[in-house]
Amino acid sequence: MKFTTPATRNPIDQLKIVGRPTDRIDGPLKCTGTAPYAYERHDIAPNAAHGYIVGAAVAKGRIVSVDTAAAKRAPGVLAVVTAANAGKLGKGKFNTAHLLGGPNIEHYHQAVAVVVAETFEQARAAAGLVRVRYEKKPGRYDLAAAKPTAGVPKKEEKPDTRVGDFARAFEEAAVRLDATYTTPDQSHAMMEPHATLALWEGGKLTVYTSNQMVDWGRKDLARTLGLPPANVRLVSPFIGGGFGGKLFLRAEALCAALGARAARRPVKVALQRAIMMNNTTHRPATIQRIRIGAARDGKISAIAHESWSGDLPDGQPETAVQQTRLLYAGAHRMTALRLATLDLPEANAMRAPGEAPGMMALEIAIDEMAEKLGMDPIAFRILNDTKVDPEKPVRPFSERRFAECLRLGADTFGWKKRNPRPGQVRDGRWLVGLGVAAAFRNNLVMKSAARVRLDRAGKVIVETDMTDIGTGSYTIIAQTAAEMLGVPLERVEVRLGDSDFPISAGSGGQWGGNSSTAGVYAACVKLREAVAQRLGVAESEAVFADGAVRAGGRTVPLAQVAAGAELVGEDIMEYGDLDKKFQQSTFGGHFVEVAVDAYTGETRVRRMLAVCSAGRILNPKSARSQVIGAMTMGVGAALMEELVVDQRHGFFVNHDLASYEVPVHADIPHQDVIFLEEADPVSSPMKAKGVGELGICGVAAAVANAIYNATGVRVRDYPITLDKLIAKMPLSS
């Protein structure tokens, strides 16, 4: 199905099932421990051997020798695989570094060997006996030091944009801001480690793994091993969190496949937590310079955003300037991305790449500019709202209710009670402040396919390689099929995460929910046509409701229609050029109240509110869960999350969950979420958009702005830890 014109009324608009708060259908499996995660597939391979990865002990250099003799003699050991005996290996399209290092080492904890043994303990013990000698080479590990050498990123389609004459407009502006902000390296820190069970049958490989993008992973594993893609099957029905860290093929999947081939039996590998944060991808640090010029009335005349980040050679930048191209009006504009070569572990996508760190800087700058102008920060944002793409004014936004989000949020949160003078509100020893920030994330759509079966019992079975990373994909896909075919939710079975199924959008970039359900919509249209054809009626005349089809003056149960033979509908939703005619984005407002201890600088978040405008909300219950989870990550980004770089040896020091701090229950208050009622016909037949990543964009800045309102201390370098506050805190008396 081609989606080339805005959607008109269709069966989804009935909203009998879609759009209703619905419990996740996979919830009972997860709560009872019966959801089969990759490392637990005892049903598939009860005799699986265990692999344990050895990570490189240098950040950059070359392997001089590997001594595996002692490891091979250790009890229970079945095989030891290194680059020297693994055979010829390629590199995946989505991998910056090789997944198995040797002889060259590209980053710290890059896999250099996998030891396979009968038990996990035997594999771990034997891995400690592998002796690797390295020739260490000097590397670059400091973004600030490498900044002068940064260049235009080769892989970025649009690294720079310019409209008008920014330099002149900024120089002539009555009020100006020129400030630099930094964000640190961050880790996904998902609960489930990267894990894979690999099985070979002749020359064909099956991996049960934890991967967000099944087709990407299958093709890259085939490319790395030199196999035809048809000889690789990837299965990933349940994922214990990803946040972008499982978008791409990782070392444990390759090592499990190599280990299984060497040991000639199934092998499972879970990437041990202690090497995960250096072995896999992370959100890279940024240095961001923002300049804003405005007239005395507050209207922005000039705005520029430049961002520097680092990655391995042939890597990609953190696209932190994306939102600045679209969020606020201003005739004269400039954005630029620069990429430095660093020898740290591979940088790549983490929840809301680009906008999440970009909003951390931009939305502090907007508050700083409002203060310079003597304006309320919400009024300043609304004054500079725009209904068209500021870089291409001929292109309107499909839907843009940004100002409405801010106004509703302000009324709900009690913004009028905020004291605009910092450091004036006390609650005992606590300094109390309110902060606000815009929420913004582009809406992306991806082509997505599905197959829908109507079996002889009248049950609907949906098959697509879409994944569920805890986001509720199983449920919204079931809701879509139930709505389209007029059956109750319990009559729908959803099968996900298998490369034998039609290729979906996958889970990433906030595109998964809208795109995958649109693919199911297309397949359901095909199935409706097949049902109508079997009944000898026109599909346009058929009404699907209550488990039956009404047409031509008769009502036929679906089970009766399919009693003779199963009916199947399969299709792919593909998109035309509506994204070129309309700018599709999601919007919101984040509101935060904090209290800062006047004596210690300790910050506590007291209240949080997100108001979101993101198209039709397919399942308000799971969508709210996505947003509050994202808000929690935003608090972490504001106050505690930072991968600390050892700039002597080139690795992240705090590389486990004990020392990489993330928010816990005690850190997070009750969170309120409001969704504006909205349907965007330009986005898809579902009239939905992404929402899961919108929830993080702007949260950290709202926290930072609230801390400033509480204390009068402006911190531009994340995370905002108490050592950055205490020296500048107002007197505690």
Side-chain angles (χ1 to χ4, degrees):
M1 178 181 289
K2 297 280 189 179
F3 185 72
T4 57
T5 58
T8 56
R9 184 162 181 79
N10 64 55
I12 296 297
D13 293 321
Q14 300 173 101
L15 299 181
K16 294 178 180 178
I17 300 174
V18 169
R20 302 296 180 93
T22 305
D23 290 345
R24 281 170 48 173
I25 59 178
D26 55 319
L29 295 175
K30 292 180 175 178
C31 290
T32 57
T34 52
Y37 289 88
Y39 201 72
E40 304 165 345
R41 296 308 300 263
H42 311 298
D43 56 323
I44 300 296
N47 67 327
H50 296 257
Y52 196 91
I53 290 176
V54 178
V58 300
K60 186 177 183 181
R62 184 177 178 84
I63 294 176
V64 176
S65 65
V66 182
D67 184 352
T68 61
K72 289 178 178 178
R73 293 194 301 268
V77 171
L78 302 171
V80 180
V81 180
T82 68
N85 64 7
K88 184 179 179 181
L89 297 176
K91 187 172 74 170
K93 174 183 176 182
F94 294 101
N95 295 134
T96 304
H98 292 83
L99 297 181
L100 184 62
N104 293 323
I105 299 300
E106 296 164 279
H107 62 85
Y108 193 82
H109 275 167
Q110 183 177 19
V112 295
V114 59
V115 178
V116 180
E118 294 286 355
T119 70
F120 171 80
E121 291 78 10
Q122 288 173 333
R124 179 178 60 185
L129 300 176
V130 175
R131 296 290 178 259
V132 185
R133 288 181 55 233
Y134 302 94
E135 176 189 337
K136 187 176 179 180
K137 296 181 180 179
R140 291 160 290 190
Y141 313 120
D142 183 348
L143 176 60
K147 181 180 171 224
T149 67
V152 177
K154 297 176 182 178
K155 287 189 173 182
E156 185 60 28
E157 185 177 337
K158 191 166 67 170
D160 295 3
T161 62
R162 293 180 183 275
V163 176
D165 187 344
F166 167 78
R168 179 184 58 80
F170 182 71
E171 185 64 29
E172 294 176 355
V175 181
R176 291 179 292 180
L177 171 76
D178 185 345
T180 298
Y181 307 84
T182 67
T183 64
D185 297 286
Q186 296 173 344
S187 173
H188 307 88
M190 73 290 288
M191 187 175 293
E192 181 202 22
H194 296 72
T196 298
L197 167 67
L199 308 88
W200 289 87
E201 293 179 290
K204 294 190 175 183
L205 170 67
T206 300
V207 292
Y208 296 83
T209 189
S210 187
N211 187 285
Q212 297 173 225
M213 302 291 292
V214 168
D215 191 57
W216 290 5
R218 176 183 72 97
K219 288 177 178 174
D220 265 8
L221 185 54
R223 186 178 287 111
T224 304
L225 291 169
L227 297 173
N231 285 10
V232 177
R233 181 185 175 205
L234 192 150
V235 185
S236 185
F238 291 95
I239 302 170
F243 310 120
K246 296 174 181 174
L247 282 172
F248 318 114
L249 181 71
R250 299 311 312 164
E252 101 293 338
L254 175 62
C255 287
L258 293 173
R261 186 164 65 185
R264 298 186 178 182
R265 61 187 279 190
V267 169
K268 60 181 181 179
V269 177
L271 194 61
Q272 54 266 36
R273 187 75 65 177
I275 75 168
M276 182 183 298
M277 293 180 184
N278 283 293
N279 178 274
T280 65
T281 61
H282 69 284
R283 193 198 300 282
T286 68
I287 299 170
Q288 302 179 49
R289 183 189 183 192
I290 297 175
R291 287 173 285 172
I292 305 174
R296 292 287 179 192
D297 65 0
K299 289 191 176 180
I300 294 173
S301 57
I303 185 167
H305 192 163
E306 300 163 273
S307 178
W308 292 261
S309 59
D311 200 359
L312 293 167
D314 203 34
Q316 301 177 65
E318 179 67 60
T319 53
V321 304
Q322 289 181 147
Q323 70 292 319
T324 309
R325 297 171 176 174
L326 293 162
L327 188 48
Y328 297 111
H332 303 278
R333 322 174 62 84
M334 183 269 282
T335 68
L337 293 170
R338 294 295 178 265
L339 181 64
T341 297
L342 295 179
D343 298 302
L344 292 172
E346 182 178 342
N348 217 311
M350 180 171 157
R351 196 174 197 170
E355 287 99 333
M359 296 288 280
M360 289 171 75
L362 176 65
E363 286 300 291
I364 295 181
I366 290 293
D367 255 43
E368 292 196 57
M369 193 65 182
E371 184 177 47
K372 281 177 171 284
L373 290 159
M375 293 184 66
D376 178 86
I378 291 178
F380 179 55
R381 287 173 169 87
I382 292 174
L383 177 67
N384 289 286
D385 192 16
T386 174
K387 296 299 181 185
V388 297
D389 177 347
E391 293 188 350
K392 297 178 182 177
V394 296
R395 187 171 70 148
F397 284 89
S398 59
E399 291 283 344
R400 182 176 170 122
R401 298 169 70 187
F402 175 46
E404 187 177 342
C405 290
L406 292 176
R407 291 191 179 103
L408 178 58
D411 290 344
T412 305
F413 203 67
W415 186 258
K416 289 181 180 179
K417 297 179 182 179
R418 170 184 176 269
N419 190 322
R421 290 182 58 205
Q424 300 302 304
V425 180
R426 297 288 293 256
D427 179 7
R429 66 186 290 154
W430 298 93
L431 297 165
V432 181
L434 302 185
V436 67
F440 176 92
R441 174 77 166 142
N442 273 329
N443 179 62
L444 306 174
V445 289
M446 297 269 284
K447 66 180 182 179
S448 193
R451 180 166 53 239
V452 183
R453 304 179 184 275
L454 177 63
D455 72 10
R456 295 182 179 185
K459 184 178 181 180
V460 174
I461 301 168
V462 183
E463 296 172 335
T464 171
D465 80 356
M466 179 61 183
T467 51
D468 191 324
I469 56 174
T471 47
S473 301
Y474 279 101
T475 309
I476 59 172
I477 285 173
Q479 288 176 274
T480 301
E483 192 80 75
M484 289 293 293
L485 298 170
V487 299
L489 204 58
E490 56 270 19
R491 297 295 294 165
V492 179
E493 178 186 343
V494 178
R495 301 171 181 171
L496 299 182
D498 191 327
S499 62
D500 282 352
F501 298 156
I503 299 170
S504 75
S507 296
Q510 194 176 263
W511 63 61
N514 181 31
S515 299
S516 66
T517 53
V520 173
Y521 170 96
C524 286
V525 169
K526 287 287 189 183
L527 183 56
R528 286 166 61 106
E529 292 171 352
V531 170
Q533 183 178 12
R534 182 166 288 185
L535 292 176
V537 300
E539 190 273 335
S540 59
E541 298 176 3
V543 176
F544 290 73
D546 304 318
V549 186
R550 297 197 301 270
R554 57 183 175 141
T555 300
V556 183
L558 284 175
Q560 184 176 326
V561 176
E566 177 186 70
L567 287 170
V568 180
E570 183 173 338
D571 203 356
I572 181 170
M573 181 63 70
E574 297 182 278
Y575 296 88
D577 62 352
L578 286 177
D579 62 330
K580 294 180 174 61
K581 296 176 181 177
F582 298 91
Q583 174 57 42
Q584 299 180 39
S585 303
T586 60
F587 299 90
H590 286 295
F591 296 81
V592 173
E593 178 183 305
V594 303
V596 182
D597 191 301
Y599 297 91
T600 68
E602 174 191 2
T603 298
R604 287 289 177 184
V605 178
R606 288 188 167 186
R607 291 190 295 140
M608 302 183 75
L609 167 67
V611 183
C612 302
S613 172
R616 173 174 285 154
I617 303 301
L618 302 177
N619 182 355
K621 180 174 282 191
S622 59
R624 177 185 180 274
S625 180
Q626 281 297 288
V627 173
I628 65 173
M631 292 162 72
T632 301
M633 292 184 77
V635 172
L639 299 178
M640 59 194 75
E641 291 193 44
E642 177 182 15
L643 285 168
V644 179
V645 179
D646 184 319
Q647 295 183 359
R648 304 162 301 164
H649 303 298
F651 67 95
F652 300 129
V653 179
N654 53 333
H655 50 77
D656 57 34
L657 289 183
S659 51
Y660 181 83
E661 295 192 12
V662 297
V664 296
H665 288 296
D667 296 311
I668 303 299
H670 176 73
Q671 299 158 307
D672 289 316
V673 181
I674 298 173
F675 296 114
L676 299 189
E677 289 193 16
E678 180 180 295
D680 190 339
V682 171
S683 178
S684 79
M686 304 301 295
K687 303 174 185 175
K689 293 179 180 177
V691 73
E693 294 180 334
L694 180 68
I696 193 176
C697 297
V699 173
V703 173
N705 292 334
I707 289 172
Y708 176 73
N709 181 242
T711 65
V713 181
R714 177 65 74 188
V715 180
R716 294 176 175 146
D717 301 300
Y718 291 98
I720 306 172
T721 47
L722 58 86
D723 56 298
K724 297 172 184 174
L725 290 171
I726 195 69
K728 300 177 182 178
M729 291 281 286
L731 294 175
S732 58
S733 59

